[in-house]
Amino acid sequence: MPLRFGGEGFGARTPILNAKRRAVLMGLLSVGLASVCGSAVADTAPMASLTSVVDTLLPADDFSPSASALEVDRDIADFVAENEMMTRLFVAALNWMDHLTDKPFHALTLSQQTEVLTAMESADFNAIPGRFYHILRALAVEFYYARSEAIVGFPLDPAPQPNGYPPPWG
């Protein structure tokens, strides 16, 4: 089922980030968006490619699940729906990505998806592809690592702070 901004079609969700953190993050990420995507049309376009984008950035591996397995795409869709300019940016960028070839982004091979994202990473920050990439990457990492399941398989020792630090620092 394709995602829509605001998580339409899904049950009510509790935001993973608290309201204050969400507001600060939105404020920081939306600075200057009017100059980048002021003419883009905001709508509730399907976001099937968003899942592929976040999974290309944060794929599953031996230690952690993919971003979509932790519903990072839904978290981002809900977050973006809170701001009209952010919605415009995401709709314009995802539409652009879906029309780069005769296939939408989510239907491209992993190497083709990686190539598109690599080009976007080095694109001008004041153009839609560059701004979208950097905002999406920041959101994906924020929402992914806000969930403890993201690192459950990592071979890490628990934080030693309750008992002090181990030698030579303790």
Side-chain angles (χ1 to χ4, degrees):
M1 174 183 219
L3 294 176
R4 296 184 176 274
F5 285 108
E8 293 175 14
F10 297 105
R13 295 172 43 105
T14 302
I16 188 78
L17 304 178
N18 68 35
K20 186 174 182 177
R21 186 168 178 94
R22 290 175 75 85
V24 169
L25 189 59
M26 180 63 76
L28 290 172
L29 295 177
S30 62
V31 170
L33 277 181
S35 64
V36 175
C37 59
S39 62
V41 178
D43 62 18
T44 54
M47 297 192 348
S49 292
L50 181 61
T51 300
S52 295
V53 174
V54 297
D55 280 348
T56 303
L57 292 172
L58 295 164
D61 59 25
D62 293 340
F63 301 109
S64 57
S66 69
S68 65
L70 296 182
E71 299 181 336
V72 169
D73 49 345
R74 289 178 55 188
D75 290 331
I76 291 171
D78 290 343
F79 182 81
V80 167
E82 296 173 16
N83 181 288
E84 182 185 350
M85 293 308 294
M86 193 76 73
T87 300
R88 288 182 184 193
L89 173 67
F90 272 64
V91 168
L94 290 167
N95 186 46
W96 175 80
M97 293 171 74
D98 282 343
H99 291 91
L100 284 173
T101 67
D102 59 341
K103 294 188 240 178
F105 182 84
H106 66 274
L108 299 176
T109 65
L110 179 58
S111 64
Q112 291 171 320
Q113 291 175 345
T114 302
E115 186 178 336
V116 170
L117 291 177
T118 300
M120 292 173 78
E121 179 182 23
S122 60
D124 180 4
F125 184 73
N126 291 315
I128 289 174
R131 183 70 61 102
F132 170 78
Y133 173 84
H134 290 286
I135 288 175
L136 176 67
R137 183 178 175 277
L139 289 174
V141 168
E142 180 75 25
F143 285 116
Y144 185 78
Y145 289 107
R147 298 185 180 278
S148 60
E149 302 95 317
I151 61 168
V152 75
F154 281 37
L156 301 173
D157 292 328
Q161 288 81 1
N163 297 321
Y165 288 93
W169 301 282

